[in-house]
Amino acid sequence: MAAFVSSIKTPQTMLCISFPLRPPKPAIPFYIHGFVTHNSSNSNNNNKINTKPHKKGKLPMNNPSRNPRKKPSYGTSRRSAIKKSFSQEQVVFTGQVSNDPVVGIIGGGMSGLACALYLEKRGIKSTVFDTGLRGLGGRMGTRKIHPEGLIFDHAAQFFTVTDHKFAEMVDDWSREGMVRQWKGTIGELEAGGRFAPLPTSPPRYIGVNGMRPLADSILSQTSMVDVVRPCWVSALEPHNGKWYLSEKGEPCGQFDAIVIAHNGKCANRLLASSGLPLIARQMKRLDLSSIWALLAAFEDPVPVPSTESAFPFEGAFVKGVDSLSWMANNTKKLLSSQDGGPECWTFLSTATFGKQNKVPQESIPTAAAEKVTEAMLEGVEKALGLQKCSLKKPLYSRVQLWGAALPTNSPGIPCIFDPQGRAGICGDWLLGSSLEAAALSGMALANHIADYFRSGGTCPDEFAIGLHNEFHPLKGHDIGQFPGLDYAGVWIPENKALFLLYCLDCASLPDHFLVDRYQGKQKHLSCQ
């Protein structure tokens, strides 16, 4: 791959140890939960996709950024990882950036892919590392069961558009026939079968063949992006002005800057001894919910309620059921022209249920899977107002736990970048918990890194962003935020601030709104 080298070049930059990290301030409490996922596919022919990372020579052991008298102990517990990340010393790159820099991006979800795409728009090469066995895409996850012909969006269910930059990406998908508006009825379903449809504005978008192919579409627009999967980057090592990445001791390449485009315990462990204490501290402040997904196919149609103003719903936010927060008919949503055959449904749990029934997601015990399936199907009956045990057993079912689902708190900034260590973070959690937030975060970090590279890296203080921002609770549905669908957004620090929301007065999507967070109102500036 273009980003890999077989030998170490003559050093052109120098590393030195700077200041130790000050103790962090306590995180602000959070209460509201959400949902995020991973895994998707990639069939792009314009990119170099390596399904087995190359094995190169061992990394150099003489690292001037480390204190030889202090050999770290790599604890695996969350407490030991936090302690280590707070005590490590900052890596400082002092030399100029190379003329042809390459960025290593760890995580192939929406934010990581958007970052790679926009780096290329600025003429910068990158390599995306992802753990997905089936492909890339993060929350753009779709599962197809062959030869039965079953299909499930088991991650992001739909998305909305409010930002013009994200709208350009969605327009491209639309022209390619990758996305369309979801015309089916969605609404709120209260326990007992009481259903209320939501307004049809703003438009709701879905992938024509599921969410997963959208990742392929992003990559198809690039020619300077390499992809390595499945690869679980386990170590970051600074040496001679470069970042060396490795997987279980096997080198994965060297890079002028790195991007962390995933989160959770794995990201925390990766950053615990990386020499990036400021970034590690911010990542530690993030809290994520846990969500169960139940994929179920029924031989007969599920009896869903309808109203005088709406046909039987295709998707519903569930209220008043402990085990259920969302249900959607994938057959109607994705295969609307199909007559007959089984109905494929995606059921997503509440964050509370996910926390109460959390198990190791890599190896879910059979007893736990059966317990969760039974409880969630009982929740479906309760939501629909059906008698207990009246719902027929599905002909196919599968449960999946998203142990690191959506963020419950956020710093409310587009990205984080440490210019001293030439490392950044992007992800939906920085701006909220939506597909749009993930895309905007990746775009923002790409442009920020490109500007930093253009400066030559000689004035790093000007490019530090998000290293000290406080976190605040997020509002939204348990399965995430849908900008424009409601006004639940990130915390706003003043009584009134400019923020992109859905205007309740004129029912349109203008550029900005005046927000009064205490009155719970948002208005287009022209509607004040």
Side-chain angles (χ1 to χ4, degrees), residues 295-317:
L295 313 181
F298 299 90
E299 186 173 357
D300 299 320
V302 174
V304 300
S306 60
T307 66
E308 293 181 359
S309 60
F311 293 104
F313 70 79
E314 294 182 11
F317 296 100

Side-chain angles (χ1 to χ4, degrees), residues 292 359-370 372 399-402:
W292 282 94
V359 297
Q361 68 182 61
E362 297 82 7
S363 181
I364 299 175
T366 301
E370 293 175 350
V372 167
V399 289
Q400 180 170 350
L401 174 64
W402 303 114

Side-chain angles (χ1 to χ4, degrees), residues 21-39:
L21 180 65
R22 294 173 294 181
K25 297 179 181 179
I28 293 179
F30 40 81
Y31 305 99
I32 302 176
H33 299 262
F35 180 74
V36 131
T37 62
H38 60 283
N39 283 346

Side-chain angles (χ1 to χ4, degrees), residues 239-255:
H239 181 75
N240 288 344
K242 299 280 187 178
W243 280 105
Y244 288 76
L245 277 56
S246 61
E247 178 186 24
K248 297 180 180 179
E250 296 294 335
C252 299
Q254 63 182 39
F255 303 92

Side-chain angles (χ1 to χ4, degrees), residues 139-297:
R139 67 167 56 221
M140 299 179 288
T142 302
R143 186 178 295 275
K144 295 182 179 181
I145 311 299
H146 301 289
E148 294 87 348
L150 309 179
I151 184 170
F152 304 90
D153 271 336
H154 65 124
Q157 298 297 291
F158 66 95
F159 62 91
T160 54
V161 182
T162 60
D163 183 270
H164 72 279
K165 292 182 179 178
F166 185 54
E168 291 175 358
M169 180 176 286
V170 176
D171 286 343
D172 289 339
W173 287 337
S174 181
R175 284 190 293 269
E176 295 172 5
M178 306 291 292
V179 302
R180 64 175 176 83
Q181 288 190 32
W182 186 9
K183 298 293 188 178
T185 300
I186 72 166
E188 294 185 348
L189 178 65
E190 294 186 10
R194 295 179 295 276
F195 177 78
L198 291 174
T200 57
S201 180
R204 300 178 284 268
Y205 294 90
I206 58 175
V208 171
N209 295 308
M211 294 293 189
R212 177 174 291 174
L214 301 185
D216 302 340
S217 178
I218 295 176
L219 283 176
S220 70
Q221 302 175 51
T222 68
S223 59
M224 299 166 58
V225 179
D226 292 340
V227 177
V228 181
R229 68 167 181 84
C231 178
W232 203 295
V233 175
S234 56
L236 308 172
E237 191 75 13
H239 181 75
N240 288 344
K242 299 280 187 178
W243 280 105
Y244 288 76
L245 277 56
S246 61
E247 178 186 24
K248 297 180 180 179
E250 296 294 335
C252 299
Q254 63 182 39
F255 303 92
D256 298 273
I258 54 172
V259 168
I260 310 298
H262 73 117
N263 50 45
K265 290 188 296 183
C266 295
N268 290 337
R269 291 171 182 170
L270 183 64
L271 289 168
S273 58
S274 62
L276 298 167
L278 298 178
I279 280 185
R281 181 181 65 177
Q282 292 299 74
M283 185 71 83
K284 291 295 183 194
R285 289 178 170 178
L286 171 65
D287 187 74
L288 298 161
S289 64
S290 297
I291 297 288
W292 282 94
L294 169 61
L295 313 181

Side-chain angles (χ1 to χ4, degrees), residues 3 27 46 51 61 89 103 113 185 196 199 248 291 303 336 381 399 414 442 468 483 504 524:
N46 296 333
T51 57
M61 299 300 293
E89 292 179 296
V103 178
L113 294 176
T185 300
K248 297 180 180 179
I291 297 288
S336 56
E381 292 174 334
V399 289
H468 304 286
L504 296 181
H524 188 200

